Amino acid sequence: MTEEINKCIEVLENGGLILYPTDTVWGIGCDATNKEAVQKVFKLKQRDDSKALICLVANDAMLEKHVEKVPDLAYDLIDLATKPTTIIYDKPRGVAENLIASDNTLAIRVASDKFCQYLIGKFKKPIVSTSANISGTNTPKSFQNIDKAILSGVDYVVNLHREKQNSSASSIIRLSNDNTVKIIRE
């Protein structure tokens, strides 16, 4: 796993894209602080850049570094969730401006997968995580179902967990600083 993490970090540091297994589905990733890298993700997915992307952080400390104020309720949601849960936060900071939605929010998930935690922890920055598909097509349920355009459009494909069937996408919850909660995707 260490060799895979080191290869990913080299690509991420150079503004490249990785294809990697996450705690949900296979994802396209890049340095979430690099505007040009984020733009490459939109281009590869053929996705309008007004549609926001999710990013992954390694732990609560990294989450707190990239959100102006993490509502206390967020920690309960993260701890009590029975499946990977992405939370949309107000007033993100320290990430690429084209990653932030027009309403000044950002969807962030604290990674629960060991590979993702180690990768992001060693990289020391959030990583974009968006499903490995062309926008408008179905999310692939396994590595074998990933479109050739995605496979050839990234700079590195992680050589781990290719045999496993992926679980479903994460739940998405909008959590405003006034503690208003809205379930976007269960």
Side-chain angles (χ1 to χ4, degrees):
M1 185 177 345
T2 302
E3 185 178 329
E4 291 297 318
I5 288 171
N6 290 339
K7 287 179 181 176
C8 286
I9 288 174
E10 182 179 337
V11 170
L12 294 169
E13 286 175 342
N14 288 303
L17 305 184
I18 62 171
L19 182 64
Y20 67 115
T22 73
D23 45 359
T24 57
V25 297
W26 274 81
I28 300 167
C30 71
D31 176 352
T33 68
N34 182 325
K35 182 179 179 181
E36 290 78 23
V38 171
Q39 190 56 45
K40 288 179 188 176
V41 174
F42 284 120
K43 185 176 179 188
L44 177 60
K45 284 186 65 84
Q46 300 171 26
R47 185 172 178 169
D48 183 350
D49 63 8
S50 67
K51 284 191 81 177
L53 300 172
I54 291 171
C55 73
L56 298 181
V57 295
N59 50 44
D60 290 350
M62 188 178 283
L63 171 64
E64 292 162 2
K65 181 178 177 185
H66 292 284
V67 176
E68 187 175 282
K69 181 187 183 309
V70 177
D72 290 337
L73 181 57
Y75 300 106
D76 292 335
L77 291 171
I78 293 165
D79 291 342
L80 299 173
T82 56
K83 69 181 261 188
T85 300
T86 301
I87 300 176
I88 301 172
Y89 296 94
D90 290 333
K91 300 180 181 174
R93 61 184 180 196
V95 295
E97 61 192 37
N98 55 342
L99 193 56
I100 299 170
S102 58
D103 63 353
N104 198 25
T105 61
L106 178 61
I108 302 175
R109 184 167 72 250
V110 177
S112 57
D113 173 82
K114 290 292 178 216
F115 172 76
C116 290
Q117 287 176 334
Y118 293 147
L119 170 61
I120 299 163
K122 189 167 182 183
F123 186 54
K124 296 183 174 62
K125 294 187 227 176
I127 296 176
V128 165
S129 179
T130 183
S131 56
N133 61 307
I134 303 295
S135 192
T137 65
N138 291 334
T139 300
K141 295 290 183 200
S142 69
F143 179 80
Q144 288 70 29
N145 299 124
I146 297 172
D147 190 289
K148 287 178 179 33
I150 298 293
L151 290 167
S152 63
V154 297
D155 299 292
Y156 186 70
V157 179
V158 172
N159 193 21
L160 293 172
H161 309 301
R162 291 186 180 184
E163 71 293 335
K164 84 170 190 169
Q165 293 292 313
N166 291 327
S167 58
S168 58
S170 68
S171 297
I172 300 179
I173 297 173
R174 170 82 168 89
L175 180 58
S176 301
N177 282 344
D178 65 4
N179 284 328
T180 301
V181 177
K182 181 178 180 187
I183 296 173
I184 307 294
R185 178 174 71 199
E186 286 190 54

Coordinates of all heavy atoms in Angstrom, one line a residue, residues 26-72:
W26 N -15.3 3.8 -6.9 CA -14.1 4.2 -7.4 C -14.2 5.7 -7.8 O -15.2 6.1 -8.3 CB -13.7 3.4 -8.7 CG -13.0 2.2 -8.3 CD1 -13.5 1.0 -7.9 CD2 -11.6 2.0 -8.3 NE1 -12.5 0.1 -7.7 CE2 -11.3 0.6 -7.9 CE3 -10.5 2.8 -8.7 CZ2 -10.0 0.1 -7.8 CZ3 -9.2 2.2 -8.6 CH2 -9.0 0.9 -8.1
G27 N -13.2 6.5 -7.4 CA -13.2 7.9 -7.6 C -12.1 8.5 -8.5 O -11.0 7.9 -8.5
I28 N -12.4 9.6 -9.1 CA -11.4 10.4 -9.8 C -11.0 11.4 -8.7 O -11.8 12.1 -8.1 CB -11.9 11.1 -11.0 CG1 -12.5 10.1 -12.0 CG2 -10.9 12.0 -11.6 CD1 -13.3 10.7 -13.1
G29 N -9.7 11.5 -8.5 CA -9.2 12.5 -7.5 C -8.1 13.4 -8.0 O -7.4 13.1 -9.0
C30 N -8.0 14.5 -7.3 CA -6.9 15.4 -7.5 C -6.7 16.2 -6.3 O -7.4 16.1 -5.3 CB -7.2 16.3 -8.7 SG -8.5 17.6 -8.4
D31 N -5.6 17.1 -6.3 CA -5.4 18.0 -5.2 C -6.5 19.0 -5.1 O -6.7 19.8 -6.1 CB -4.0 18.7 -5.4 CG -3.7 19.7 -4.4 OD1 -4.5 20.1 -3.5 OD2 -2.5 20.2 -4.5
A32 N -7.2 19.0 -4.0 CA -8.4 19.9 -3.9 C -8.0 21.3 -3.7 O -8.9 22.2 -3.7 CB -9.3 19.4 -2.7
T33 N -6.7 21.6 -3.6 CA -6.3 23.0 -3.5 C -5.7 23.6 -4.8 O -5.3 24.7 -4.9 CB -5.2 23.2 -2.4 OG1 -4.0 22.5 -2.8 CG2 -5.7 22.6 -1.1
N34 N -5.7 22.7 -5.8 CA -5.1 23.1 -7.1 C -6.2 23.3 -8.2 O -6.9 22.4 -8.6 CB -4.2 21.9 -7.6 CG -3.5 22.2 -8.9 OD1 -4.0 22.9 -9.8 ND2 -2.3 21.7 -9.0
K35 N -6.4 24.6 -8.5 CA -7.5 25.0 -9.4 C -7.4 24.3 -10.8 O -8.4 23.9 -11.3 CB -7.5 26.5 -9.6 CG -8.6 27.1 -10.4 CD -8.5 28.6 -10.6 CE -9.6 29.1 -11.5 NZ -9.6 30.6 -11.6
E36 N -6.2 24.2 -11.3 CA -6.0 23.6 -12.6 C -6.3 22.1 -12.6 O -6.9 21.6 -13.5 CB -4.6 23.8 -13.1 CG -4.3 25.3 -13.5 CD -4.0 26.2 -12.3 OE1 -3.6 25.7 -11.2 OE2 -4.2 27.4 -12.5
A37 N -5.9 21.5 -11.5 CA -6.2 20.0 -11.4 C -7.7 19.8 -11.3 O -8.3 18.9 -11.9 CB -5.5 19.5 -10.1
V38 N -8.4 20.7 -10.5 CA -9.9 20.5 -10.4 C -10.5 20.7 -11.7 O -11.5 20.0 -12.1 CB -10.4 21.6 -9.3 CG1 -12.0 21.6 -9.4 CG2 -9.9 21.2 -7.9
Q39 N -10.0 21.7 -12.5 CA -10.6 21.9 -13.9 C -10.4 20.7 -14.7 O -11.3 20.3 -15.5 CB -9.9 23.1 -14.5 CG -10.6 23.6 -15.8 CD -12.1 23.9 -15.6 OE1 -12.5 24.5 -14.6 NE2 -12.9 23.4 -16.5
K40 N -9.3 20.0 -14.6 CA -9.1 18.7 -15.3 C -10.1 17.7 -15.0 O -10.5 16.9 -15.9 CB -7.7 18.1 -15.0 CG -6.5 18.9 -15.6 CD -5.2 18.2 -15.2 CE -4.0 19.0 -15.5 NZ -2.8 18.3 -15.0
V41 N -10.5 17.6 -13.8 CA -11.6 16.7 -13.4 C -12.9 17.0 -14.1 O -13.6 16.1 -14.6 CB -11.8 16.6 -11.8 CG1 -13.0 15.8 -11.4 CG2 -10.5 16.1 -11.1
F42 N -13.3 18.3 -14.1 CA -14.5 18.7 -14.8 C -14.4 18.3 -16.2 O -15.4 17.8 -16.8 CB -14.7 20.2 -14.6 CG -15.3 20.6 -13.3 CD1 -14.5 21.5 -12.5 CD2 -16.5 20.2 -12.8 CE1 -15.0 21.9 -11.2 CE2 -17.0 20.6 -11.5 CZ -16.2 21.4 -10.8
K43 N -13.3 18.6 -16.8 CA -13.1 18.3 -18.3 C -13.2 16.8 -18.5 O -13.9 16.4 -19.5 CB -11.8 18.8 -18.7 CG -11.6 18.7 -20.2 CD -10.3 19.4 -20.7 CE -10.1 19.2 -22.2 NZ -8.8 19.6 -22.6
L44 N -12.5 16.0 -17.7 CA -12.5 14.5 -17.9 C -14.0 14.0 -17.8 O -14.4 13.1 -18.5 CB -11.6 13.8 -16.9 CG -11.6 12.3 -17.0 CD1 -11.2 11.8 -18.4 CD2 -10.7 11.8 -15.9
K45 N -14.7 14.5 -16.8 CA -16.1 14.0 -16.6 C -17.1 14.6 -17.5 O -18.2 14.2 -17.5 CB -16.5 14.3 -15.1 CG -15.9 13.3 -14.1 CD -16.4 13.5 -12.7 CE -17.9 13.2 -12.5 NZ -18.2 11.8 -12.3
Q46 N -16.6 15.6 -18.3 CA -17.5 16.3 -19.2 C -18.6 16.9 -18.4 O -19.8 16.8 -18.8 CB -18.0 15.4 -20.4 CG -16.9 14.8 -21.2 CD -17.3 13.8 -22.2 OE1 -18.5 13.8 -22.6 NE2 -16.4 12.9 -22.6
R47 N -18.3 17.5 -17.3 CA -19.2 18.0 -16.4 C -19.2 19.5 -16.3 O -18.1 20.1 -16.2 CB -18.9 17.4 -15.0 CG -19.9 17.7 -13.9 CD -19.6 16.9 -12.7 NE -20.5 17.2 -11.6 CZ -20.5 16.5 -10.5 NH1 -19.8 15.4 -10.3 NH2 -21.4 16.8 -9.6
D48 N -20.3 20.1 -16.2 CA -20.4 21.6 -16.0 C -19.8 21.9 -14.7 O -20.1 21.3 -13.7 CB -21.9 22.0 -16.0 CG -22.2 23.4 -15.9 OD1 -21.2 24.2 -15.7 OD2 -23.3 23.8 -16.1
D49 N -18.9 22.9 -14.7 CA -18.2 23.2 -13.4 C -19.1 24.0 -12.4 O -18.7 24.3 -11.4 CB -16.9 24.0 -13.7 CG -17.0 25.3 -14.3 OD1 -18.2 25.8 -14.5 OD2 -16.0 25.9 -14.7
S50 N -20.4 24.2 -12.8 CA -21.3 24.7 -11.8 C -21.8 23.6 -10.9 O -22.4 23.8 -9.8 CB -22.5 25.4 -12.4 OG -23.3 24.5 -13.1
K51 N -21.6 22.3 -11.3 CA -22.0 21.2 -10.4 C -20.8 20.9 -9.5 O -19.7 20.5 -10.0 CB -22.3 20.0 -11.3 CG -23.7 20.0 -12.0 CD -24.0 18.7 -12.6 CE -24.6 17.8 -11.5 NZ -25.1 16.5 -12.0
A52 N -21.1 21.0 -8.2 CA -20.0 20.9 -7.2 C -19.4 19.5 -7.2 O -20.1 18.5 -7.5 CB -20.5 21.4 -5.9
L53 N -18.2 19.4 -6.7 CA -17.6 18.1 -6.5 C -17.4 17.9 -5.0 O -17.4 18.8 -4.2 CB -16.2 18.1 -7.1 CG -16.1 18.3 -8.6 CD1 -14.7 18.4 -9.1 CD2 -16.8 17.1 -9.3
I54 N -17.2 16.6 -4.6 CA -17.0 16.3 -3.2 C -15.5 16.2 -2.9 O -14.7 15.9 -3.9 CB -17.6 14.9 -2.9 CG1 -19.1 15.0 -2.9 CG2 -17.1 14.3 -1.5 CD1 -19.8 13.6 -2.8
C55 N -15.0 16.6 -1.7 CA -13.6 16.3 -1.4 C -13.5 15.5 -0.1 O -14.4 15.5 0.7 CB -12.8 17.5 -1.4 SG -13.0 18.6 0.0
L56 N -12.5 14.7 0.0 CA -12.2 13.9 1.2 C -11.1 14.5 2.0 O -10.1 15.1 1.5 CB -11.8 12.5 0.7 CG -12.7 11.6 -0.1 CD1 -12.1 10.3 -0.4 CD2 -14.1 11.5 0.6
V57 N -11.3 14.4 3.3 CA -10.3 14.8 4.3 C -9.9 13.5 5.1 O -10.7 12.6 5.2 CB -10.7 15.9 5.2 CG1 -10.9 17.2 4.4 CG2 -11.9 15.6 6.0
A58 N -8.8 13.5 5.7 CA -8.3 12.3 6.5 C -8.9 12.2 7.9 O -9.0 11.1 8.4 CB -6.8 12.4 6.6
N59 N -9.2 13.4 8.5 CA -9.7 13.4 9.9 C -10.4 14.7 10.2 O -10.5 15.6 9.4 CB -8.5 13.1 10.8 CG -7.3 14.1 10.4 OD1 -7.5 15.3 10.2 ND2 -6.1 13.6 10.4
D60 N -10.9 14.8 11.5 CA -11.6 16.0 11.9 C -10.7 17.2 11.9 O -11.1 18.3 11.6 CB -12.1 15.8 13.4 CG -13.2 14.8 13.4 OD1 -13.8 14.3 12.4 OD2 -13.6 14.4 14.6
A61 N -9.4 17.0 12.2 CA -8.5 18.2 12.2 C -8.4 18.8 10.8 O -8.4 20.0 10.7 CB -7.1 17.8 12.8
M62 N -8.3 18.0 9.8 CA -8.2 18.5 8.4 C -9.5 19.1 8.0 O -9.5 20.1 7.4 CB -7.8 17.4 7.5 CG -7.5 17.9 6.1 SD -7.0 16.6 4.9 CE -5.3 16.3 5.4
L63 N -10.6 18.5 8.5 CA -11.9 19.1 8.2 C -12.0 20.5 8.8 O -12.4 21.5 8.1 CB -13.0 18.3 8.8 CG -14.5 18.8 8.8 CD1 -15.0 19.0 7.4 CD2 -15.4 17.9 9.6
E64 N -11.6 20.7 10.0 CA -11.6 22.0 10.7 C -10.7 23.0 10.0 O -11.0 24.2 10.1 CB -11.2 21.8 12.2 CG -12.3 21.0 13.0 CD -11.8 20.5 14.3 OE1 -10.6 20.7 14.7 OE2 -12.6 19.8 14.9
K65 N -9.7 22.6 9.4 CA -8.8 23.5 8.7 C -9.4 24.0 7.4 O -9.1 25.1 7.0 CB -7.5 22.7 8.4 CG -6.4 23.5 7.7 CD -5.2 22.7 7.4 CE -4.2 23.6 6.6 NZ -3.0 22.8 6.2
H66 N -10.4 23.3 6.9 CA -10.9 23.7 5.6 C -12.4 24.2 5.6 O -13.0 24.4 4.6 CB -10.7 22.6 4.6 CG -9.3 22.4 4.2 ND1 -8.6 23.2 3.4 CD2 -8.4 21.5 4.7 CE1 -7.3 22.8 3.4 NE2 -7.2 21.8 4.1
V67 N -12.9 24.4 6.8 CA -14.3 24.9 7.0 C -14.2 26.0 8.1 O -13.6 25.7 9.1 CB -15.3 23.8 7.4 CG1 -16.6 24.4 7.7 CG2 -15.4 22.7 6.3
E68 N -14.8 27.1 7.8 CA -14.7 28.2 8.7 C -15.2 27.8 10.1 O -14.5 28.1 11.1 CB -15.4 29.4 8.2 CG -15.3 30.7 9.1 CD -16.0 31.9 8.5 OE1 -15.4 32.5 7.5 OE2 -17.0 32.2 9.0
K69 N -16.3 27.2 10.2 CA -16.9 26.7 11.4 C -17.6 25.4 11.2 O -18.6 25.3 10.4 CB -17.8 27.7 12.0 CG -18.4 27.3 13.4 CD -19.5 28.2 13.8 CE -20.1 27.9 15.2 NZ -20.5 26.5 15.4
V70 N -17.1 24.3 11.9 CA -17.8 23.0 11.8 C -18.8 23.0 12.9 O -18.5 23.0 14.0 CB -16.8 21.9 11.9 CG1 -17.5 20.5 11.9 CG2 -15.7 21.9 10.9
P71 N -20.1 22.9 12.5 CA -21.2 22.8 13.5 C -21.0 21.6 14.4 O -20.6 20.5 13.9 CB -22.5 22.7 12.7 CG -22.1 23.3 11.3 CD -20.7 22.9 11.1
D72 N -21.3 21.7 15.7 CA -21.1 20.6 16.6 C -21.9 19.3 16.1 O -21.4 18.2 16.3 CB -21.6 20.9 18.0 CG -20.6 21.9 18.7 OD1 -19.4 22.0 18.2 OD2 -21.0 22.7 19.6

